[in-house]
Amino acid sequence: MTEKQDLRVRRTNEQITKAFFGLLKEKGFKTMTVQDISKRARIGRSTFYSHYYDKYDLLEKLVAEYTEVFRKIVDQRFSIHTPEIGSNTVKVLIIALTQYREILLQLFDIHTETADLERNFKQILRSTAHQYFQHVELPSEIDLPLDYLSDLYASNVMLFLLWQLRHGKNDSVIQFGDRLQEFVLNPTQGL
């Protein structure tokens, strides 16, 4: 019985999510209502409320889900401890995230106090880069604060990711992005 019930819960969540993203494209987050989502998902409002507190709760859960996807991709990429860590990083991220392109672009446009996918992605990149720099010995002539290098890395990667997702895959941009990341992660190479 619980397997059948779990299947129904999963199916209802999929209907709600599909309705949410369809309405997001048509109406935007601010004007969308729980009534709109429920109607589009072909469920009662009480069913919606049995799954989510409100549309902000739904948004927060979706942002958390895609933040975790991104965290796993970044963690996997940075688990490779070599001097060439920056090499192909942008390309790897673009390839991994392309399957979520439409969803990510919609979520990147919503910025609330409790749900901001772009802020979350940037924070993951920043903290991952900061951890990397703490374990890499930079030469004394590189007198740059780790926070600065971490912010630079995170900002650049986010710029490349957003640009690629919005404009489509461009190999020249990817190659440039990877070269720039190699320099940021290993600044002695550019000296």
Side-chain angles (χ1 to χ4, degrees):
M1 187 81 167
T2 57
E3 186 177 319
K4 191 174 185 177
Q5 196 173 22
D6 290 345
L7 181 60
R8 277 189 289 178
V9 169
R10 197 166 45 244
R11 195 175 311 136
T12 301
N13 280 329
E14 288 171 4
Q15 288 172 270
I16 291 170
T17 300
K18 185 177 177 183
F20 176 83
F21 283 113
L23 288 163
L24 196 56
K25 193 180 281 187
E26 292 170 24
K27 296 180 94 169
F29 182 73
K30 287 184 180 183
T31 58
M32 175 191 322
T33 66
V34 169
Q35 178 65 38
D36 295 332
I37 298 168
S38 300
K39 185 176 178 183
R40 175 73 59 97
R42 294 191 172 121
I43 60 169
R45 280 186 17 208
S46 61
T47 302
F48 177 92
Y49 288 121
S50 70
H51 291 263
Y52 303 100
Y53 183 71
D54 56 17
K55 71 177 186 177
Y56 291 93
D57 183 41
L58 171 58
L59 174 65
E60 288 168 16
K61 285 183 170 65
L62 290 168
V63 166
E65 177 183 338
Y66 288 99
T67 297
E68 191 55 34
V69 167
F70 186 69
R71 182 183 315 281
K72 287 178 181 174
I73 295 166
V74 171
D75 286 349
Q76 182 180 4
R77 182 67 189 150
F78 272 83
S79 67
I80 306 165
H81 297 289
T82 67
E84 297 84 29
I85 186 67
S87 185
N88 294 321
T89 297
V90 172
K91 185 176 185 176
V92 168
L93 291 173
I94 292 299
I95 290 168
L97 295 175
T98 297
Q99 63 185 315
Y100 308 110
R101 181 180 177 274
E102 290 299 319
I103 290 169
L104 294 176
L105 287 174
Q106 288 181 46
L107 291 176
F108 281 140
D109 285 338
I110 305 170
H111 305 279
T112 71
E113 197 172 304
T114 58
D116 189 326
L117 189 65
E118 185 175 346
R119 180 181 61 219
N120 292 359
F121 274 30
K122 199 170 186 177
Q123 181 54 42
I124 290 168
L125 291 166
R126 184 182 298 114
S127 65
T128 303
H130 197 273
Q131 289 172 2
Y132 170 81
F133 287 125
Q134 287 178 323
H135 294 92
V136 172
E137 193 168 317
L138 296 174
S140 59
E141 66 264 20
I142 305 291
D143 189 25
L144 297 171
L146 295 186
D147 288 346
Y148 171 76
L149 287 173
S150 301
D151 283 343
L152 180 63
Y153 178 81
S155 296
N156 282 322
V157 172
M158 279 308 300
L159 174 66
F160 286 114
L161 284 177
L162 288 170
W163 197 92
Q164 289 288 331
L165 290 171
R166 288 183 178 132
H167 297 94
K169 187 174 173 251
N170 181 312
D171 289 332
S172 296
V173 172
I174 289 172
Q175 288 173 350
F176 180 74
D178 282 332
R179 285 184 27 225
L180 183 57
Q181 296 323 308
E182 285 179 45
F183 174 72
V184 171
L185 292 171
N186 193 0
T188 56
Q189 296 295 90
L191 295 177

